[in-house]
Amino acid sequence: MVWEPHYECMSREDMQAIQLDRLQTVVHNVYEKVPFYRKLFVEQGVKPQDIKRLEDVQKLPFSGKEAITENYPFGLFAMPMKQIVRVHASSGTTGRQKVVGYSKRDIRTWSNLVARVVTMAGVTDEDIAQICFGYGLFTGGFGLHYGLEKVGATIIPASTGNTERQITMMQDFGTTVLVATPSYALYMVEAAEDMGVDTSKLNLRVGLFGAEPCTENMKKEIERRWYMRATDNYGLTEIGGPGVAGECECADGLHINEDHFYPEVINPDTGEVLGYGEQGELVFTSLTREAFPIVRYRTRDISMLINEPCACGRTTVRMKKITGRADDMLIIRGVNVYPSQIESVIMETEGVAPHYQLIVTSKGYLDDLEVQVELSGDHFTGKFKELEELEKTLKQKLQRVLSISAKVKLLEPRSIERTMGKAKRVIDLRNK
Ligand code: ADP
Ligand code: ZN
């Protein structure tokens, strides 16, 4: 099923007409109402009237994280506080809190867009959805809640915490849909196995995962252990939270709600706009947000856009699964390394568990990368020879994938701290 076929399956010409119309409105709006943008536009020598075609978006200046933190807390709001009915803030994975606001209409739009995304994933009003995202300033809990409610699913607003009770609810209430970060989904399945729960007997059928990167292999692991289909959805606080993009049943990239968020991919070093199929940094312009419009926001997330038709019938442009955050990219001895590359290696190596951390240190000018990974419980025999072999295999595979050598440290099962939110993979101890 498609939630809003009129928009999601629209012809390219119609989509572009809507995008242009909305872009012009947004640009006028921020120019009139947000001093920060007016100043930025003046510096760039661009006026709202200059936006005549969709490509003219490229005349507009970029905005970034700093724009939000420097205007903390409400400086970028385009409406008086009387009309702001909600604030949210980023979970603060990196840097200072970014505060955003919503009008009543923004909340309605948000619900609708998340409804699209959960419908894409195959969720209907027959489902019982357990939301294990935090409810609070983080947009994940409320966002998924609104969308699922709109679709008519039965919601269990479980939030995070008390993992054993979560599993019991899942059994007793017959949960069919799990909303969580991939990390928490893994943590939960471990807890379920510890409790002696046969996960194949649960009613779970779909996972709605997001908020952090998850490699294809990690996704498979989650699907295997939970006996469900895992889907990915993407969003970020700065442009409204979840509901930006989601995976349909074809699972070949995430459909972007591009009638509400105009996507671009740029070369992060030069700002040059890249074409379909080229990897770079995602940039979004919000097209309908009233309270907190945002122009050409640099997300620091690495992906690419795909415009080939999708078998599901939706015509919206898709984005590839996020490879990682530019912030998490490590430069080790001059080579770019993404945690996701290391995750892929770990996930396809037998004997280690999907729990890992990357420790970066430096001695003089030389950087050192140590991959700490847990042994998997079922393979752990404690035989020295086996461990040595495993370490060697991992080292070789990492060297092949990363083109640099990394140290490997095998840890006892369960020694890396589990998270109920986003996993912290990188510990960078270099003095910057
Ligand atoms: P924070 O930057 O503090 O984590 P948010 O909670 O707003 O703030 O999280 C948004 C970020 O989370 C995105 O910019 C992206 O890096 C990451 N993210 C969200 N959804 C996904 C996803 N499906 N895949 C990969 N990364 C994601
Ligand atoms: Zn599709």
Side-chain angles (χ1 to χ4, degrees), residues 65 89-95 98 138-140 209-214 232-238 241 245 254 299-301 319 321-325 327 422:
K65 239 193 255 209
S90 78
S91 49
T93 312
T94 52
K98 289 162 252 142
F138 173 54
T139 51
F209 299 125
E212 65 177 358
C214 175
D232 190 9
N233 69 85
Y234 170 86
L236 63 164
T237 311
E238 298 89 308
L254 286 70
T299 63
R300 328 256 313 132
D301 292 326
M319 54 181 257
K321 256 178 174 316
I322 302 279
T323 319
R325 294 181 177 222
D327 299 352
K422 307 188 187 212

XYZ file of all heavy atoms in Angstrom, residues 65 89-95 98 138-140 209-214 232-238 241 245 254 299-301 319 321-325 327 422, ligand 1:
311
model
N 25.413 22.869 10.768
C 25.252 22.723 12.202
C 25.462 24.024 12.971
O 24.706 24.363 13.867
C 26.369 21.785 12.653
C 25.887 20.543 13.327
C 27.065 19.924 13.964
C 27.472 18.728 13.137
N 28.100 17.676 13.804
N 15.100 18.611 20.269
C 16.523 18.903 20.141
C 17.247 17.625 19.755
O 16.780 16.529 20.058
C 17.066 19.454 21.447
N 18.364 17.789 19.072
C 19.113 16.608 18.640
C 19.616 15.867 19.864
O 19.825 16.450 20.918
C 20.299 17.015 17.789
O 21.330 17.475 18.622
N 19.827 14.579 19.668
C 20.267 13.762 20.793
C 21.692 14.114 21.211
O 22.201 13.621 22.196
C 20.143 12.290 20.443
O 20.724 12.058 19.191
N 22.334 14.956 20.424
C 23.655 15.429 20.827
C 24.754 14.392 20.707
O 25.665 14.333 21.523
N 24.649 13.530 19.675
C 25.698 12.541 19.456
C 27.014 13.260 19.191
O 28.067 12.829 19.629
C 25.347 11.631 18.262
O 24.007 11.189 18.428
C 26.267 10.448 18.170
N 26.927 14.327 18.428
C 28.132 15.092 18.161
C 27.869 16.566 18.447
O 26.954 17.154 17.895
C 28.574 14.945 16.687
O 27.450 15.254 15.860
C 29.046 13.539 16.361
N 28.644 17.156 19.326
C 28.585 18.591 19.573
C 27.418 19.077 20.411
O 26.767 18.313 21.104
N 21.069 20.946 19.180
C 20.446 21.750 18.139
C 18.952 21.756 18.398
O 18.322 20.704 18.391
C 20.742 21.155 16.765
C 22.186 21.329 16.340
C 22.571 20.386 15.225
C 23.483 19.327 15.730
N 23.380 18.023 15.267
N 14.515 14.018 21.940
C 14.857 13.210 20.759
C 13.600 13.060 19.903
O 12.520 12.790 20.422
C 15.359 11.853 21.258
C 15.600 10.824 20.192
C 16.417 11.091 19.102
C 15.026 9.563 20.290
C 16.649 10.131 18.135
C 15.254 8.593 19.324
C 16.064 8.872 18.241
N 13.738 13.243 18.585
C 12.554 13.231 17.726
C 12.020 11.829 17.432
O 10.883 11.683 16.988
C 12.884 13.886 16.361
O 14.064 13.262 15.847
C 13.100 15.376 16.497
N 12.846 10.815 17.670
C 12.491 9.458 17.258
C 11.204 8.925 17.870
O 10.331 8.406 17.163
N 13.818 0.362 11.792
C 15.070 0.765 12.418
C 15.602 2.056 11.810
O 15.436 2.297 10.623
C 16.110 -0.352 12.271
C 15.674 -1.629 12.932
C 15.616 -2.817 12.223
C 15.292 -1.626 14.265
C 15.192 -3.986 12.835
C 14.862 -2.790 14.890
C 14.818 -3.978 14.176
N 16.275 2.818 12.633
C 16.828 4.073 12.137
C 17.647 4.738 13.212
O 17.937 4.138 14.248
N 17.999 5.976 12.964
C 18.732 6.830 13.889
C 20.233 6.599 13.915
O 20.975 7.390 14.475
C 18.177 6.763 15.320
N 20.703 5.521 13.308
C 22.148 5.281 13.228
C 22.422 4.353 12.045
O 21.529 3.641 11.595
C 22.672 4.660 14.531
C 22.119 3.279 14.802
C 22.697 2.618 16.050
O 23.560 3.215 16.706
O 22.280 1.480 16.328
N 23.644 4.362 11.555
C 23.963 3.502 10.419
C 23.898 2.022 10.789
O 24.105 1.647 11.942
C 25.405 3.890 10.075
C 25.678 5.166 10.761
C 24.788 5.199 11.958
N 23.579 1.220 9.806
C 23.485 -0.227 10.021
C 23.868 -0.874 8.697
O 23.232 -0.636 7.677
C 22.034 -0.556 10.385
S 21.671 -2.301 10.557
N 14.787 0.097 7.071
C 15.581 1.252 7.483
C 14.778 2.523 7.218
O 14.099 2.620 6.198
C 16.860 1.259 6.625
C 17.891 2.267 7.100
O 17.707 2.846 8.177
O 18.895 2.460 6.378
N 14.824 3.461 8.130
C 14.266 4.784 7.821
C 15.168 5.856 8.383
O 15.897 5.641 9.345
C 12.816 4.907 8.287
C 12.689 4.928 9.786
O 12.813 5.975 10.417
N 12.458 3.766 10.386
N 15.116 7.008 7.715
C 16.108 8.049 7.980
C 15.472 9.401 8.293
O 14.438 9.753 7.730
C 17.003 8.182 6.742
C 17.936 9.365 6.736
C 19.176 9.295 7.348
C 17.578 10.557 6.098
C 20.041 10.383 7.336
C 18.440 11.652 6.076
C 19.669 11.552 6.699
O 20.527 12.627 6.681
N 16.121 10.116 9.154
C 15.695 11.482 9.433
C 16.702 12.131 10.348
O 17.602 11.471 10.859
N 16.568 13.431 10.530
C 17.427 14.111 11.488
C 16.670 15.283 12.073
O 15.810 15.863 11.401
C 18.765 14.530 10.873
C 18.814 15.525 9.743
C 20.227 16.058 9.603
C 18.431 14.855 8.444
N 16.968 15.570 13.316
C 16.261 16.615 14.047
C 16.183 17.912 13.248
O 15.118 18.530 13.163
C 17.008 16.909 15.370
O 17.264 15.681 16.015
C 16.199 17.808 16.274
N 17.315 18.309 12.670
C 17.405 19.611 12.014
C 16.364 19.788 10.919
O 15.945 20.897 10.623
C 18.796 19.794 11.393
C 19.942 19.770 12.388
C 20.485 18.360 12.625
O 19.675 17.458 12.932
O 21.696 18.182 12.508
N 13.154 15.453 12.001
C 13.136 14.143 12.653
C 12.821 13.036 11.664
O 13.001 13.219 10.456
N 12.922 9.829 4.912
C 13.044 8.793 3.891
C 12.863 7.421 4.528
O 13.129 7.240 5.721
C 14.414 8.874 3.224
N 16.330 4.183 0.108
C 15.232 4.768 0.883
C 14.539 5.862 0.066
O 15.197 6.800 -0.398
C 15.770 5.378 2.185
C 16.194 4.428 3.308
C 17.477 3.680 2.930
C 16.448 5.189 4.600
N 24.074 17.850 6.015
C 23.784 16.871 7.069
C 25.026 16.200 7.631
O 24.976 15.613 8.696
C 22.894 15.740 6.522
O 23.628 15.064 5.486
C 21.581 16.263 5.981
N 26.124 16.215 6.886
C 27.344 15.476 7.209
C 27.154 13.968 7.036
O 28.029 13.187 7.381
C 27.860 15.767 8.629
C 27.607 17.149 9.147
C 28.784 18.081 9.166
N 30.005 17.549 9.713
C 31.187 17.671 9.102
N 31.262 18.255 7.936
N 32.266 17.190 9.659
N 26.003 13.556 6.510
C 25.765 12.125 6.264
C 26.166 11.774 4.836
O 25.882 12.523 3.909
C 24.285 11.782 6.478
C 23.882 11.906 7.930
O 24.722 11.614 8.799
O 22.739 12.306 8.201
N 17.574 7.457 -1.645
C 18.955 7.623 -1.188
C 19.462 6.251 -0.752
O 18.700 5.451 -0.208
C 19.038 8.626 -0.041
C 18.126 8.319 1.142
S 18.249 9.548 2.446
C 19.265 8.653 3.630
N 21.424 3.616 1.553
C 21.665 3.543 2.998
C 22.867 4.406 3.359
O 23.859 4.413 2.630
C 22.049 2.095 3.337
C 20.989 1.284 3.975
C 21.553 -0.130 4.171
C 20.636 -1.029 4.939
N 19.998 -0.482 6.115
N 22.801 5.081 4.484
C 23.912 5.949 4.887
C 25.173 5.111 5.157
O 25.124 4.143 5.906
C 23.543 6.692 6.191
C 22.268 7.509 6.003
C 24.701 7.528 6.699
C 22.458 8.819 5.341
N 26.270 5.498 4.517
C 27.537 4.801 4.744
C 28.121 5.192 6.087
O 28.854 4.440 6.708
C 28.576 5.229 3.675
O 27.913 5.298 2.428
C 29.739 4.303 3.619
N 27.857 6.413 6.509
C 28.386 6.866 7.782
C 28.287 8.366 7.858
O 27.818 9.013 6.925
N 28.698 8.893 8.974
C 28.710 10.339 9.136
C 30.093 10.845 8.812
O 31.084 10.214 9.187
C 28.473 10.702 10.595
C 27.142 10.361 11.109
C 27.110 10.828 12.557
N 25.800 10.574 13.100
C 25.138 11.417 13.871
N 25.682 12.539 14.230
N 23.951 11.117 14.317
N 31.426 13.028 10.325
C 32.034 13.212 11.648
C 32.692 11.942 12.176
O 33.584 11.994 13.005
C 30.976 13.637 12.681
C 30.321 14.945 12.303
O 30.794 15.569 11.346
O 29.341 15.318 12.956
N 21.862 5.122 20.442
C 22.821 4.995 19.358
C 24.143 4.478 19.911
O 24.614 4.954 20.933
C 23.057 6.369 18.720
C 21.779 7.068 18.301
C 22.094 8.321 17.517
C 20.815 9.112 17.254
N 20.835 9.832 15.994
P 22.408 13.481 16.525
O 23.206 14.165 15.477
O 22.598 14.084 17.860
O 22.552 11.992 16.520
P 19.651 13.104 15.627
O 19.070 12.321 16.729
O 18.836 14.137 14.986
O 20.924 13.854 16.137
O 20.138 12.066 14.565
C 20.239 12.328 13.192
C 21.417 11.611 12.626
O 21.315 10.206 12.882
C 21.515 11.729 11.133
O 22.155 12.898 10.730
C 22.327 10.479 10.798
O 23.714 10.686 11.012
C 21.833 9.466 11.792
N 20.771 8.629 11.206
C 19.444 8.778 11.314
N 18.791 7.810 10.657
C 19.718 7.025 10.096
C 19.684 5.860 9.277
N 18.552 5.283 8.904
N 20.865 5.353 8.873
C 22.023 5.919 9.228
N 22.127 7.002 10.000
C 20.990 7.561 10.428
